[in-house]
Amino acid sequence: MCELLGMSANVPTDICFSFSGLLERGGNTGPHKDGWGITFYEGKGCRTFKDPEPSCQSEIAKLVKAYPIKSVSVISHIRQGNRGRVCLENTHPFTRELWGRELTYAHNGQLSNYHDLKPEYYRPVGNTDSELAFCWLLDQIREKYPKRPANMASVFRYAAKLAHTLREKGVFNMLLTDGVYVLAYCTNNLHWITRRAPFGKATLIDADMIVDFQQETTPNDVVTVIATRPLTHDERWHKMTPGECALFKMGELI
């Protein structure tokens, strides 16, 4: 299996603290050594860093960890490959354009009997079940919404319904974002936490690192972090139930 990390915030925020914990699970405190990636949104644009090397020893990961890129929406992934070889094109997150907007997706789990997923418009670049499922999902959205709807929340709610179908084929934990909304869908293992005033301290599980969020934020900041497993041991994380979806915008659950 793989591990997911996502963020939704109401102000541009860096994810260095959470990302530092996730990286250790990529070959050090965890077995997810088959590549990693992260996508940050900045306005309508997004920047992605990927590496098929283990995140705990990746020079690119060290650069991202030390470079506090601020964003309101982030998706990250560390991979333990089970479908497709270890290579750059099979490394999450995956991004495609829809209605002039970049949509980014990452998947944790393994699907079976998925060869009936036959997307027509979007095609996989690599050979993972994850990317194929993403292309199929976008095809279905594009068919239902030929034009960008005024209410993008409805698109993400429809994506959650499609995730129910994919869940029938195996384990399908997913993060999906357009840079404004962040959708989390759980099959078996996904957690989230919303941090807001009054802020306190937090300690990473996988690294010797403590942060006092009161020193890093303003009283108006709202930041939600989504992770496969909790990243801190002194905060209360919400564990999602099988089949549950959570849609976030500007850090808030909507």
Side-chain angles (χ1 to χ4, degrees):
M1 294 294 182
C2 309
E3 292 211 16
L4 303 170
L5 172 64
M7 185 187 77
S8 173
N10 68 339
V11 293
T13 304
D14 77 69
I15 199 172
C16 292
F17 177 69
S18 298
F19 187 61
S20 297
L22 183 73
L23 293 185
E24 294 302 313
R25 297 177 180 179
N28 187 12
T29 61
H32 315 90
K33 59 181 176 55
D34 298 326
W36 67 276
I38 188 167
T39 298
F40 302 88
Y41 277 80
E42 300 172 45
K44 290 185 177 181
C46 63
R47 64 173 86 188
T48 298
F49 300 86
K50 292 185 183 184
D51 192 353
E53 296 297 318
S55 60
C56 70
Q57 62 189 46
S58 166
E59 293 299 323
I60 302 173
K62 292 177 184 177
L63 181 150
V64 175
K65 178 181 172 181
Y67 183 25
I69 299 171
K70 293 185 181 293
S71 175
V72 294
S73 299
V74 178
I75 286 183
S76 184
H77 180 277
I78 51 175
R79 184 177 183 226
Q80 184 179 13
N82 50 47
R83 295 272 192 263
R85 65 189 182 93
V86 178
C87 58
L88 189 59
E89 64 264 29
N90 286 336
T91 305
H92 305 223
F94 302 107
T95 299
R96 295 290 192 280
E97 177 273 335
L98 179 63
W99 310 310
R101 188 87 185 186
E102 301 277 11
L103 268 69
T104 298
Y105 151 106
H107 165 230
N108 162 32
Q110 184 174 341
L111 304 181
S112 301
N113 302 318
Y114 56 87
H115 296 291
D116 60 335
L117 301 177
K118 298 185 182 297
E120 296 181 3
Y121 184 82
Y122 294 95
R123 300 296 177 88
V125 176
N127 60 345
T128 64
D129 54 337
S130 301
E131 189 183 15
L132 178 64
F134 180 41
C135 291
W136 176 83
L137 187 148
L138 288 183
D139 256 26
Q140 300 301 306
I141 293 174
R142 192 171 183 265
E143 182 177 343
K144 182 175 177 63
Y145 300 100
K147 295 182 180 180
R148 178 185 173 95
N151 180 14
M152 277 296 293
S154 63
V155 174
F156 284 90
R157 294 190 178 102
Y158 181 58
K161 291 182 180 179
L162 296 172
H164 285 308
T165 300
L166 293 168
R167 178 186 167 211
E168 294 173 359
K169 298 180 179 295
V171 178
F172 191 73
N173 302 297
M174 175 191 73
L175 293 178
L176 177 71
T177 186
D178 66 344
V180 177
Y181 293 90
V182 177
L183 173 67
Y185 182 87
C186 176
T187 289
N188 65 348
N189 206 6
L190 206 55
H191 299 72
W192 59 267
I193 185 170
T194 298
R195 298 181 178 120
R196 65 175 80 240
F199 292 97
K201 295 181 180 180
T203 308
L204 287 178
I205 294 172
D206 299 271
D208 185 16
M209 190 172 179
I210 302 174
V211 68
D212 184 353
F213 289 113
Q214 190 171 4
Q215 303 299 319
E216 307 291 334
T217 58
T218 74
N220 297 321
D221 291 1
V222 179
V223 180
T224 292
V225 175
I226 309 146
T228 298
R229 295 182 291 127
L231 293 163
T232 58
H233 60 66
D234 46 7
E235 296 181 292
R236 181 174 294 180
W237 291 71
H238 171 81
K239 179 176 174 56
M240 297 177 68
T241 58
E244 181 184 354
C245 66
L247 183 60
F248 301 92
K249 181 182 181 183
M250 305 292 285
E252 299 283 5
L253 179 69
I254 64 170

